Amino acid sequence: MAITNVTDQTFSGETNEGVVLVDFWAPWCGPCKMIAPVLEELDTDMGEKVKIVKVDVDENQETAGKFGVMSIPTLLVLKDGEVVDKAVGYQPKEALAEVLNKHL
């Protein structure tokens, strides 16, 4: 499954079912750029079980505000639309995989 960019308007429809990793990011954010290839690898490894979506906080402030995102990257794990886990800042692939596997 490919990583999807979502907006304030499409967020709930894209995240209300199954396990979803949400990456709150911005184009100017250095650590966000560092984590992008990690998310691509995770998508390759776990794409059948986990959906990965990205939310640009500059363009989608309503969704970022709803989840209290204060620093980026913020990664939320949603299961059937409910937040079940959270990580802030750059995370190595192994750490993210461990977090996701807890919720599968």
Side-chain angles (χ1 to χ4, degrees), residues 21-99:
L21 177 64
V22 183
D23 173 26
F24 288 92
W25 72 289
W28 47 264
C29 163
C32 299
K33 291 177 185 171
M34 288 171 48
I35 205 166
V38 172
L39 297 177
E40 292 286 345
E41 286 181 37
L42 269 178
D43 186 55
T44 300
D45 295 350
M46 303 180 78
E48 297 298 313
K49 298 178 265 182
V50 177
K51 183 177 192 177
I52 300 176
V53 301
K54 296 175 73 83
V55 179
D56 182 334
V57 296
D58 289 340
E59 295 178 6
N60 301 285
Q61 294 177 358
E62 182 182 315
T63 301
K66 176 181 169 189
F67 289 100
V69 174
M70 293 296 182
S71 56
I72 51 174
T74 291
L75 301 160
L76 298 181
V77 180
L78 277 66
K79 188 168 189 174
D80 298 328
E82 298 296 318
V83 177
V84 292
D85 228 318
K86 178 179 181 174
V88 178
Y90 176 83
Q91 304 290 318
K93 178 182 159 188
E94 295 74 23
L96 286 173
E98 193 175 308
V99 168

